[in-house]
Amino acid sequence: MDMTLENLERHWMPFTNNREFKREPRLFVRASGMHYWTATGRKVLDGSSGLFTSAAGHCRAEIAAAVAKQLQTLDFTPSFMRGHPGAFALADGVAALTPQGLDHVFFCNSGSEAVDTAMKIALAYHLARNEGQRAYFVSRERAYHGVNIGGTALSGMVRNREAFGALLPGVLHLRHTLLPENRLTRGMGSTGAELADDLLRFVNLVGEKRIAAVFVEPIAGSTGVIVPPRGYLERLHEICSRYGILLVFDEVICGFGRTGEPFAATSFGVTPDIITMAKALTNGAQPMGAVAVRSGIYRTIIDAAPDGAPEFFHGYTYSAHPAACAAALATLEIYRNEQLFAKGRELSGYFLDAMFALQDLPAVNDVRGFGMLAGIEIKPGKAPGVRGNELQAKLFDRGLHVKTTGDVAIMAPAFIASRADIDLMGSMLRDAIAEY
């Protein structure tokens, strides 16, 4: 295809400056392992696992073969009143990785759908308990919970909300935990656990039995890698338990080894009631999301329904799509056979050393990180986000793909990365940031 402006114009790209991109397109045409390739044949090291998706590296033959075989055997089956074996096998596989007790899994097609599904599950659960008055949701400033209406209402990133009006009523936002006292802290900061007490204020504001659920990213990833302070998640959990509020961990980014364990809930020692997930579930090879819930939530909703009727009036045409299930099953097998979560955990120290070594650069404002996830925040230029956008383009031209949000470069390498890959990422980041 000839990459002229006219040929590029019809595709409306998401989260992209379309005018700028179409003047100077940066396209990938191939991927393998730790790298992408451009249309001109230039090799680009992937520093962000695609979009936190490809934790096992790109174009894994095992996943491609599993998807191809599935599509040649059973390409589609409805999940409404029908099913296929792969969906049940995958639910077992996911439940084997989630914290004990979160052993029922609902499949969807993205992290955004997983979040909206979790909101519906929370409402249905409370209604089944005769507490249908619980209609408030609590999230946080600077949160990202996808782009559907429910998730956008929960999100606390202003640019993701400002064009869309009031969205949903009854959403309250805790203060974020990005505190100056924790600047340049590796791992969890020592200050900020008391910010969880904002939830007590909301309980007092709307009533003890009015809040349905609290949604929290264990590490707020898309907003620039905000690691929770020590004790913060524990306090949230304690308040939720005291007042019968469901605690939901959005692990769309953290899930499947990013923090060194299958889920960040295990890394931080706090078990929520619900976990949302997507991205690395299929290594990015097929669109898929999922919601894992406590057995008690599932049983309450199921047992409250009349005989002969669906218990939960929710689902998607492509829920538990056979090809997506095949991709996810093959992905989980790779994680298990290659012990990739353990490899990521072992590589984390070296990776974080390389990222925190950048703090000596005059343009670096902060470095934050945990596991195989780090954010390098540079000082803003003439307007917030301008330098971050420039930095992403500079790094692409140097041969490094990264995700940026505002003025933060978000690093999340695949778990197959070598120390040489990490060294190269650090070197290219240093050279590009040093120009400011």
Side-chain angles (χ1 to χ4, degrees), residues 126-406:
H126 290 302
L127 182 64
R129 297 170 59 244
N130 297 314
E131 291 194 0
Q133 79 281 357
R134 289 186 181 267
Y136 280 92
F137 291 99
V138 176
S139 180
R140 295 190 294 179
E141 298 169 350
R142 296 196 63 152
Y144 179 78
H145 294 294
V147 294
N148 289 351
I149 288 294
T152 303
L154 292 176
S155 293
M157 297 170 69
V158 63
R159 295 303 300 274
N160 290 5
R161 298 166 52 92
E162 61 185 352
F164 308 116
L167 297 165
L168 294 181
V171 177
L172 306 167
H173 287 82
L174 308 167
R175 286 173 289 176
H176 65 73
T177 61
L178 183 59
L179 302 176
E181 296 89 337
N182 294 331
R183 179 176 172 270
L184 296 172
T185 296
R186 180 165 165 163
M188 305 175 80
S190 59
T191 302
E194 69 282 357
L195 291 171
D197 293 340
D198 281 359
L199 182 55
L200 289 173
R201 293 174 46 235
F202 294 153
V203 167
N204 292 330
L205 174 68
V206 303
E208 290 188 7
K209 294 188 175 182
R210 296 297 304 281
I211 298 175
V214 175
F215 280 72
V216 175
E217 301 159 274
I219 300 174
S222 290
T223 195
V225 187
I226 304 176
V227 182
R230 282 192 292 275
Y232 175 83
L233 295 175
E234 291 88 342
R235 283 173 83 158
L236 273 184
H237 183 272
E238 188 275 325
I239 296 168
C240 286
S241 298
R242 189 190 317 169
Y243 292 103
I245 301 166
L246 296 181
L247 179 60
V248 183
F249 277 5
D250 183 341
E251 297 224 29
V252 170
I253 288 177
C254 291
F256 302 100
R258 186 56 54 187
T259 62
E261 299 289 344
F263 290 92
T266 303
S267 295
F268 294 129
V270 177
T271 300
D273 300 290
I274 298 174
I275 290 178
T276 63
M277 64 194 81
K279 294 189 183 290
L281 171 58
T282 65
N283 202 48
Q286 290 278 292
M288 192 174 214
V291 183
V293 305
R294 276 196 298 106
S295 179
I297 295 172
Y298 172 80
R299 285 260 60 97
T300 297
I301 294 173
I302 296 297
D303 294 344
D307 290 340
E311 301 92 355
F312 185 45
F313 282 81
H314 175 71
Y316 302 94
T317 299
Y318 299 107
S319 287
H321 188 281
C325 288
L329 285 166
T331 297
L332 297 189
E333 188 172 0
I334 289 170
Y335 291 152
R336 181 174 56 252
N337 291 345
E338 299 183 11
Q339 298 184 310
L340 287 187
F341 300 164
K343 287 183 179 178
R345 187 165 59 245
E346 292 164 6
L347 187 59
S348 170
Y350 193 84
F351 165 68
L352 292 175
D353 283 346
M355 298 301 103
F356 276 85
L358 300 169
Q359 66 185 281
D360 67 317
L361 292 169
V364 170
N365 191 51
D366 194 8
V367 183
R368 305 179 285 272
F370 188 101
M372 288 291 285
L373 183 62
I376 298 91
E377 181 177 337
I378 61 174
K379 295 174 182 175
K382 57 186 178 183
V386 171
R387 276 188 170 178
N389 187 54
E390 291 175 351
L391 178 62
Q392 187 183 65
K394 284 175 181 287
L395 290 168
F396 177 91
D397 293 340
R398 282 173 163 78
L400 178 64
H401 162 71
V402 300
K403 163 80 168 81
T404 59
T405 296

Side-chain angles (χ1 to χ4, degrees), residues 31-33 55-66 283 285 334 338 340 416:
S32 178
H58 292 286
C59 290
R60 295 296 303 247
E62 307 95 311
I63 301 173
N283 202 48
I334 289 170
E338 299 183 11
L340 287 187
I416 64 166

